[in-house]
Amino acid sequence: MKLILLGAPGAGKGTQAEILSKKLGAPTISTGNILRAAVKNGTPVGLKAKSYMDAGALVPDDVIIGVMRERFAEPDCANGYILDGMPRTIAQAEALEAGGIDVDCALSIEISDDEIVARMSGRRTCPECSTTYHIVSAPPKTDGTCDKCGASLTIRHDDEPETVKNRLRVYHEETEPLIAFYAARGKHKSVRNQPSIEATTAVIADALGL
Ligand code: AMP
């Protein structure tokens, strides 16, 4: 299955993508994680992306399209994937189509801006392995420490409140139009965010007929 997860930053796309990835046996491709690794390693892509990411702006489409082209060429993509955080603009969606990538479904997780702002303030991220936690809804076993690799958890630079507001504005302007784009192709489905991760997984599984 080739699935796109749509939704505002902080809607839970990354968390649900990981769960679906295990269920479906398909990799999750997160452009945000790929870009953060590139920034950390100081690669040419990372150098181009950093200032946009720090400001909560979108990284230019040509950079993203290049990153995705390389990622799709890897062997684990042969039997489908879950796209988390890509496409984020109509131009990126058109580039997927132009590349012959026919997605099965674009599923959006609906959540209000107020819920997002409250949620992002509690998000903690592992700088080593990218696992995310929430101090209330998904805390690590030991405060401030990654369960998977033991690194100290951090607040992502772009999860600071002012940057979150900018990311939400960018989401509404640039990414939300993708809902109409995929609806016009008969491929859009949506679910409402639920009070727990498990309940949200259940409504997604139901929507996808899993
Ligand atoms: P995320 O982890 O998906 O919230 O992405 C973090 C940041 O990476 C975003 O705020 C953007 O600056 C950048 N980014 C990730 N994916 C994309 C994309 N598909 N197009 C443009 N910028 C992106």
Side-chain angles (χ1 to χ4, degrees):
M1 179 184 288
K2 292 186 183 128
L3 175 68
I4 294 172
L5 287 183
L6 292 174
K13 299 186 298 294
T15 303
Q16 296 299 333
E18 283 313 318
I19 296 169
L20 285 171
S21 170
K22 290 196 187 101
K23 256 192 206 291
L24 297 170
T28 294
I29 304 180
S30 155
T31 39
N33 285 348
I34 294 173
L35 293 171
R36 275 184 289 280
V39 169
K40 195 170 154 211
N41 296 328
T43 67
V45 164
L47 294 176
K48 278 189 215 156
K50 185 173 184 326
S51 60
Y52 297 97
M53 295 175 76
D54 285 349
L58 292 185
V59 172
D61 288 330
D62 60 328
V63 176
I64 299 294
I65 290 164
V67 161
M68 293 307 289
R69 201 168 282 144
E70 270 184 33
R71 184 63 187 88
F72 285 139
E74 289 179 31
D76 64 336
C77 289
N79 297 319
Y81 33 75
I82 299 151
L83 298 182
D84 159 24
M86 197 279 174
R88 250 175 162 102
T89 62
I90 297 284
Q92 292 176 17
E94 285 172 347
L96 288 181
E97 284 189 347
I101 289 170
D102 192 18
V103 299
D104 297 290
C105 177
L107 181 119
S108 40
I109 304 175
E110 288 171 16
I111 178 168
S112 72
D113 287 6
D114 288 347
E115 287 172 280
I116 293 287
V117 172
R119 183 183 276 192
M120 300 287 249
S121 63
R123 182 149 84 168
R124 299 292 180 271
T125 304
C126 175
E128 294 302 325
C129 71
S130 302
T131 304
T132 57
Y133 299 87
H134 190 279
I135 50 175
V136 179
S137 60
K141 291 195 183 85
T142 310
D143 252 8
T145 305
C146 180
D147 292 348
K148 288 193 187 155
C149 73
S152 292
L153 301 179
T154 54
I155 299 181
R156 256 169 59 177
H157 203 49
D158 57 353
D159 281 347
E160 308 285 350
E162 272 318 299
T163 317
V164 168
K165 286 193 189 129
N166 195 36
R167 292 170 71 200
L168 282 168
R169 192 182 50 73
V170 170
Y171 170 74
H172 291 303
E173 282 174 18
E174 306 269 356
T175 308
E176 225 168 22
L178 288 172
I179 291 177
F181 180 94
Y182 286 108
R185 287 153 177 77
K187 296 202 165 154
H188 179 249
K189 289 188 174 155
S190 75
V191 297
R192 174 82 197 132
N193 173 65
Q194 300 296 311
S196 71
I197 291 172
E198 294 74 19
T200 305
T201 305
V203 290
I204 291 175
D206 200 38
L208 295 176
L210 299 177

